[in-house]
Amino acid sequence: MDTKEKIRNAALKLFNEQGIDAITIRHIAKELDISHGNLQYHYKNTNDIILVLFNEVNDGFTRLIGIKEKPVTITFSDFRSRTEQLFELIWQYRFIFLHFVEVTRRLPAIKTVYSSWDKSREEQFLLLFDALIKEGVFRNDIPDHIWKNLITQIYIMGDFWLSHNEIKLNLKGKKAVHHYCQVFCDQFYPYLTAKGRQQADQDQ
């Protein structure tokens, strides 16, 4: 592990534990037992580190939902598995989502990247929905505008389930991921065919 990676890991740990307002370059340097001048040779300030960490999240999202063509076959179990991986990624970088509004205010570049997702992510989700319709998992009688609004619901829950957990349940790690993945997947139940419901019930 090189120095820059050690810095990112230490910053991620501290941001997750204490938030972005409480942590400075000096705190991260102390965590690593190096001088803050040495740290600033690699990253000038915490905003630079936050941007790099956000880009790691972006790369993870692209890897997990970067669908460029319709899957050959897909089940609701496949969909749930991918969702769980996404929620694990969000948990790993949870400080970003717990402080999302503040993060985008401090770093407009992150808001720009986030806003740029809309078209490509919508295309990817619609491809996924279409594949599940063709597999007889999702119903084929849902109007297009409902599917598009469902994508907005996905964004809202994906971005802010951590805030709900922080206030209401305070679950940790895999328990938090598993619980909210289940809540997320349950919102699709009305869209499932009998075949889809059978697959979903098997995953309970």
Side-chain angles (χ1 to χ4, degrees):
M1 189 183 300
D2 64 20
T3 302
K4 294 184 78 169
E5 188 174 359
K6 288 178 181 177
I7 292 169
R8 293 197 302 275
N9 288 345
L12 179 59
K13 174 178 177 289
L14 293 173
F15 289 149
N16 281 340
E17 290 174 352
Q18 301 179 49
I20 58 174
D21 290 333
I23 299 303
T24 67
I25 285 291
R26 289 181 183 275
H27 291 116
I28 300 168
K30 184 178 179 181
E31 179 75 15
L32 291 168
D33 196 24
I34 62 175
S35 71
H36 74 277
N38 186 5
L39 193 153
Q40 287 182 302
Y41 173 78
H42 300 283
Y43 297 105
K44 291 181 181 179
N45 52 51
T46 54
N47 282 354
D48 285 352
I49 301 173
I50 291 169
L51 182 58
V52 172
L53 293 172
F54 176 79
N55 286 334
E56 290 179 5
V57 174
N58 187 27
D59 290 343
F61 281 172
T62 299
R63 184 177 68 255
L64 289 168
I65 62 172
I67 303 167
K68 295 182 179 178
E69 56 186 27
K70 295 173 188 176
V72 178
T73 59
I74 188 168
T75 66
F76 193 77
S77 294
D78 297 329
F79 177 76
R80 181 191 169 84
S81 176
R82 187 170 297 186
T83 298
E84 189 129 8
Q85 291 177 65
L86 283 166
F87 275 46
E88 286 171 352
L89 180 67
I90 290 168
W91 176 264
Q92 183 183 353
Y93 294 86
R94 56 194 174 277
F95 83 91
I96 292 174
F97 300 91
L98 285 170
H99 306 276
F100 206 20
V101 174
E102 179 60 24
V103 165
T104 58
R105 284 175 177 165
R106 279 177 57 169
L107 288 101
I110 287 180
K111 186 174 183 179
T112 299
V113 172
Y114 180 76
S115 298
S116 74
W117 289 355
D118 289 349
K119 182 173 174 48
S120 62
R121 294 292 191 253
E122 178 178 297
E123 290 173 352
Q124 290 158 355
F125 276 118
L126 290 175
L127 282 171
L128 181 61
F129 295 161
D130 192 51
L132 286 160
I133 290 169
K134 286 184 165 51
E135 286 295 316
V137 175
F138 277 179
R139 290 165 49 189
N140 63 2
D141 61 343
I142 307 294
D144 289 345
H145 74 277
I146 299 296
W147 291 121
K148 289 187 177 182
N149 285 338
L150 183 58
I151 294 170
T152 300
Q153 294 173 43
I154 288 172
Y155 266 97
I156 292 170
M157 185 164 182
D159 292 342
F160 299 109
W161 64 270
L162 283 166
S163 296
H164 184 274
N165 179 58
E166 188 80 5
I167 296 167
K168 300 285 284 186
L169 301 179
N170 201 28
L171 299 173
K172 305 297 183 185
K174 288 189 177 298
K175 285 186 178 180
V177 168
H178 181 77
H179 175 77
Y180 282 95
C181 178
Q182 185 63 55
V183 173
F184 180 89
C185 289
D186 283 349
Q187 74 180 318
F188 293 92
Y189 206 84
Y191 302 88
L192 298 175
T193 63
K195 176 182 176 180
R197 289 194 296 272
Q198 184 178 23
Q199 292 177 6
D201 291 340
Q202 288 173 351
D203 288 337
Q204 294 284 347

